Amino acid sequence: MTAFAYNAWYPLAWSRDIGREIVTRRVLEEDLAVYRTEEGVVAALEDACPHRLAPLSIGRLRGDAIECGYHGLTFDCSGQCVHAPGMPRVPESFRVRSYPTAESMGMVWVWMGDPEKADRSQVFHLPQYDDPAYSVVEGDALLVQANYLSLADNLCDPTHVVYVHQTTLASAGREETRVQHERQGNKVVTWRWVIDGPLIPIFEGLKDFGGNVDRWHYYHYHAPSIAVIDFGSARTGTGAPEGNRDDCIQMYACHFITPIDQRSCVQHWLCLKNSPADPAIDERLRSNLRMAFQEDKRMLEAIQRNEDKPREWHRIHLGLDGSSIKMRRIVEEMAAGNG
């Protein structure tokens, strides 16, 4: 069983999906009732009335408070009960847990651990998101019926691309290209370069390099649940490996993972690209990325089904597993120290 790190900011939902209707989200096996206040701030409360455990998410909003749909107990954004039918004075002990929230990069984030340790300045934000040289292609909230660390393994691993994503992200003949990795605090960086090769299918039509390219893949995994993949291409021989990327295609594929429970997670994804927004190009890119992530989903869910079967099995490790081993060690350290 996976031990969760609670003192961390987790993606909760797309900002676009949270409004003045109560919705429910599950994070780290805990159910939350989520909504916006009249001023637009996101509130997240434990989704269970302490009277008889009726879900607050099937209640109704009274201003900025939730009224339980069973007996009318009403809880404000802090989780304090402010009205209990038949009781002129509500005891202080009548309350539900409230979770700190923040918004960044079009996402609502939630702090599942000690609220005293919730530092909103530490919510993840990629500088390129605000850079006018980049445009944003917002994606989906993909339900994956697999443990979130299995998805994390995938997002620390450039080598699977050749086999899983042959029609979208890979080109043939590069199976043995060297992969490097290192730990940087609570982050693992994994990278590989492909020198003098063709454009990957997803980049075709975006820029004409007139021939082969040098392309890079840098996988930045911020434990416990954020992955940013910096990938791009430049005309071969123009110095991209040395840092000259003035004339290139560059994208950041951002993956914000919500662990639901031991066997499921949500993969929120978006893409930043160093070219202007274009409805036709953006929709093609979104469609291709959606296809690629469905390919991952199919593989990871099949793995989870096998993991759930009783069997005699001892995991073997390959050289390519180094970065995922580092990632899992960081998560174990965070979980052991509650963040």
Side-chain angles (χ1 to χ4, degrees):
M1 301 290 281
T2 299
F4 295 121
Y6 285 88
N7 286 329
W9 287 102
Y10 285 95
L12 178 63
W14 290 112
S15 293
R16 68 194 187 212
D17 291 336
I18 305 300
R20 288 290 291 163
E21 298 291 328
I22 307 168
V23 297
T24 184
R25 292 291 189 274
R26 197 165 204 230
V27 186
L28 308 187
E29 301 182 335
E30 298 182 26
D31 294 312
L32 282 60
V34 185
Y35 61 98
R36 285 190 187 275
T37 67
E38 292 176 336
E39 294 185 351
V41 177
V42 176
L45 301 180
E46 177 184 0
D47 193 16
C49 177
H51 176 220
R52 293 188 181 170
L53 298 182
L56 292 179
S57 58
I58 59 175
R60 59 195 62 83
L61 289 180
R62 298 296 189 190
D64 287 343
I66 293 183
E67 179 185 82
C68 176
Y70 198 10
H71 292 99
L73 278 75
T74 305
F75 301 87
D76 66 16
C77 296
S78 74
Q80 179 63 52
C81 182
V82 294
H83 174 71
M87 299 184 71
R89 181 178 176 278
V90 180
E92 177 70 21
S93 60
F94 283 22
R95 61 181 304 111
V96 295
R97 184 177 176 187
S98 174
Y99 298 82
T101 66
E103 293 190 68
S104 176
M105 295 186 67
M107 292 291 305
V108 177
W109 301 77
V110 65
W111 183 270
M112 300 300 294
D114 180 352
E116 296 297 319
K117 296 181 179 180
D119 182 352
R120 288 180 173 82
S121 71
Q122 297 303 306
V123 175
F124 183 79
H125 190 85
L126 193 68
Q128 287 81 2
Y129 188 84
D130 301 315
D131 187 336
Y134 288 80
S135 59
V136 180
V137 179
E138 205 167 82
D140 302 325
L142 180 64
L143 176 63
V144 181
Q145 298 288 356
N147 186 282
Y148 87 102
L149 290 181
S150 186
L151 177 54
D153 288 337
N154 178 277
L155 294 170
C156 289
D157 173 24
T159 64
H160 83 278
V161 173
V162 174
Y163 305 98
V164 178
H165 304 302
Q166 295 184 359
T167 62
T168 51
L169 300 176
S171 61
R174 300 293 174 162
E175 293 84 351
E176 302 302 323
T177 303
R178 184 185 177 197
V179 175
Q180 302 178 74
H181 54 82
E182 67 179 17
R183 176 173 175 172
Q184 301 174 0
N186 281 348
K187 182 173 84 167
V188 176
V189 182
T190 311
W191 69 96
R192 78 189 307 180
W193 279 85
V194 175
I195 305 300
D196 194 13
L199 276 176
I200 60 175
I202 204 169
F203 281 178
E204 291 177 358
L206 295 181
K207 190 176 183 66
D208 182 9
F209 289 108
N212 281 354
V213 297
D214 296 338
R215 70 176 195 265
W216 65 90
H217 301 80
Y218 283 84
Y219 288 53
H220 299 262
Y221 200 90
H222 304 255
S225 65
I226 299 166
V228 177
I229 303 171
D230 169 6
F231 64 116
S233 297
R235 187 188 304 272
T236 192
T238 57
E242 292 74 40
N244 180 16
R245 302 175 200 171
D246 294 335
D247 184 24
C248 72
I249 300 170
Q250 184 172 32
M251 294 187 184
Y252 293 89
C254 301
H255 303 264
F256 306 134
I257 308 171
T258 305
I260 297 175
D261 53 32
Q262 295 291 338
R263 291 178 175 80
S264 61
C265 61
V266 176
Q267 180 183 9
H268 303 88
W269 60 269
L270 62 82
C271 181
L272 308 176
K273 58 183 174 65
N274 67 335
S275 58
D278 179 291
I281 291 175
D282 292 354
E283 187 52 43
R284 181 169 69 86
L285 177 60
R286 186 181 292 108
S287 177
N288 286 337
L289 289 172
R290 188 174 283 135
M291 183 188 306
F293 302 148
Q294 285 287 345
E295 291 167 343
D296 286 325
K297 171 182 165 74
R298 176 175 175 269
M299 180 64 70
L300 296 174
E301 291 183 343
I303 290 171
Q304 185 66 53
R305 288 192 296 271
N306 269 344
E307 288 185 346
D308 289 341
K309 296 175 182 177
R311 64 172 67 231
E312 290 290 331
W313 176 65
H314 297 284
R315 184 188 299 269
I316 63 172
H317 291 295
L318 305 178
L320 56 86
D321 294 322
S323 57
S324 63
I325 291 171
K326 285 183 171 67
M327 175 275 299
R328 285 179 176 255
R329 185 173 298 125
I330 294 171
V331 173
E332 288 171 1
E333 292 170 4
M334 295 178 72
N338 292 319

